[in-house]
Amino acid sequence: MFRLERRTLEMLARAGYGARGVVYCLVGGLAVLAAVGAGGQAGGNKSALAALLDQPYGRLWLGLIAVGLVGFALWRIIEGATDADRCGSSATALAQRAGHIMGGIVYGGLALTAAQLALGKRGESGDDNAIQDWTAWLLSKPLGQWLTGLIGLVVIGVGVAFLRKGWKGDVLERLSLPAEVRRWAVAVGRLGFAARGVVFGLVGAFLILAAVHSSSAEVKGLAGALQVLREQPYGWVLLAVTAAGLFAFGVFGLVQARYRHIDAPDAEEATSKLKQTVARVMSR
């Protein structure tokens, strides 16, 4: 029977942080080029991954990214379910852990997209189609507008938290960095979290608009958020700064892959912690 050892999970997590970093570098780098008129595109994750197909060994790189993202998805789910980072069981901690689990599901979907591209299945859907389809499904349900608006508020809250972390948060938490890396990692991490905060804030605002107008067409994901920035006065500057921040977050992800402290549980410990977590939630 397959048994996920602690060392194996740690390696998967590090590969995952690296793969996520590469994706953000692609998204940010291409958007910066688009902002300054040097080619590129202000698109989302799928467009950035698809751009690799035109590069040497593009499918190989996509396959490696897909494997890494699977590892990141698995780590995020286990991290949230077992409290591997010892966040605790307060309401705030449980919300953070739930966010990790949801993030794991999202990155699992992105891993599937990367794998499909690696296998030559480009598909016809755009970057924001998935979130629009999901929103349309939710809006069709009872209380769907209220739920969509609530999710929008949560996403905005996450964006505000990222902005706050970018402004004065401890971006080096759980990182053990040598002095020469620490000197620049703080600035890179703060810029990266701030850029993510801007994007999350915009996506959350679009979700609220979709709830108010009961229209999934109002929803925009990462690609749409970058496009909205580009359409503003001095939009190329806004896009360039935000895109540079996303690229910075990608670089910061590579730093996390190398230096983050990962206290991965083994299979038996993970199962035990998961049961304890479920028992605590059910007893509330």
Side-chain angles (χ1 to χ4, degrees):
M1 181 178 178
F2 176 74
R3 177 187 173 95
L4 190 62
E5 297 292 345
R6 187 171 297 176
R7 178 59 179 167
T8 302
L9 181 55
E10 180 183 346
M11 291 175 62
L12 287 172
R14 295 195 186 282
Y17 279 109
R20 184 181 68 163
V22 169
V23 172
Y24 269 95
C25 284
L26 287 170
V27 171
L30 289 171
V32 166
L33 292 175
V36 299
Q41 57 187 350
N45 295 327
K46 184 174 181 180
S47 294
L49 290 173
L52 280 178
L53 288 174
D54 299 325
Q55 305 305 313
Y57 306 106
R59 290 191 179 186
L60 174 61
W61 286 114
L62 282 166
L64 292 174
I65 289 172
V67 172
L69 290 174
V70 168
F72 190 71
L74 182 62
W75 163 245
R76 273 306 203 212
I77 292 171
I78 292 176
E79 179 186 28
T82 67
D83 194 19
D85 282 336
R86 293 176 173 81
C87 297
S89 56
S90 65
T92 301
L94 289 175
Q96 181 179 356
R97 291 165 60 185
H100 287 162
I101 293 173
M102 290 302 298
I105 295 172
V106 170
Y107 280 103
L110 186 58
L112 178 60
T113 296
Q116 289 173 333
L117 289 169
L119 294 173
K121 301 178 182 179
R122 286 180 178 262
E124 299 297 330
S125 61
D127 282 301
D128 292 347
N129 284 47
I131 190 172
Q132 289 178 347
D133 291 343
W134 170 84
T135 305
W137 174 84
L138 184 59
L139 288 171
S140 69
K141 303 303 177 184
L143 300 178
Q145 284 181 261
W146 289 98
L147 290 172
T148 302
L150 178 61
I151 293 172
L153 288 173
V154 171
V155 173
I156 289 175
V158 174
V160 170
F162 283 151
L163 284 170
R164 185 177 182 276
K165 190 165 187 175
W167 177 250
K168 59 179 181 180
D170 182 12
V171 296
L172 301 186
E173 183 181 13
R174 301 189 180 92
L175 292 177
S176 300
L177 301 178
E180 62 272 16
V181 177
R182 181 181 292 271
R183 279 194 289 269
W184 54 265
V186 173
V188 168
R190 286 186 170 176
L191 179 59
F193 276 105
R196 290 189 83 199
V198 171
V199 171
F200 270 71
L202 288 172
V203 171
F206 295 137
L207 283 167
I208 292 176
L209 285 175
V212 171
H213 299 142
S214 189
S215 171
S216 62
E218 299 279 3
V219 178
K220 293 178 174 61
L222 174 57
L226 293 177
Q227 188 59 41
V228 166
L229 288 174
R230 191 175 191 177
E231 293 169 355
Q232 304 310 306
Y234 300 100
W236 73 271
V237 177
L238 295 174
L239 176 60
V241 172
T242 303
L246 294 177
F247 183 87
F249 188 78
V251 174
F252 191 73
L254 299 178
V255 173
Q256 288 177 305
R258 173 65 178 85
Y259 295 108
R260 193 185 195 277
H261 174 70
I262 297 175
D263 188 12
D266 60 21
E268 291 182 3
E269 183 182 353
T271 301
S272 176
K273 286 187 175 181
L274 179 57
K275 289 179 179 178
Q276 293 173 11
T277 300
V278 172
R280 285 197 209 102
V281 173
M282 296 298 292
S283 65
R284 287 177 178 267

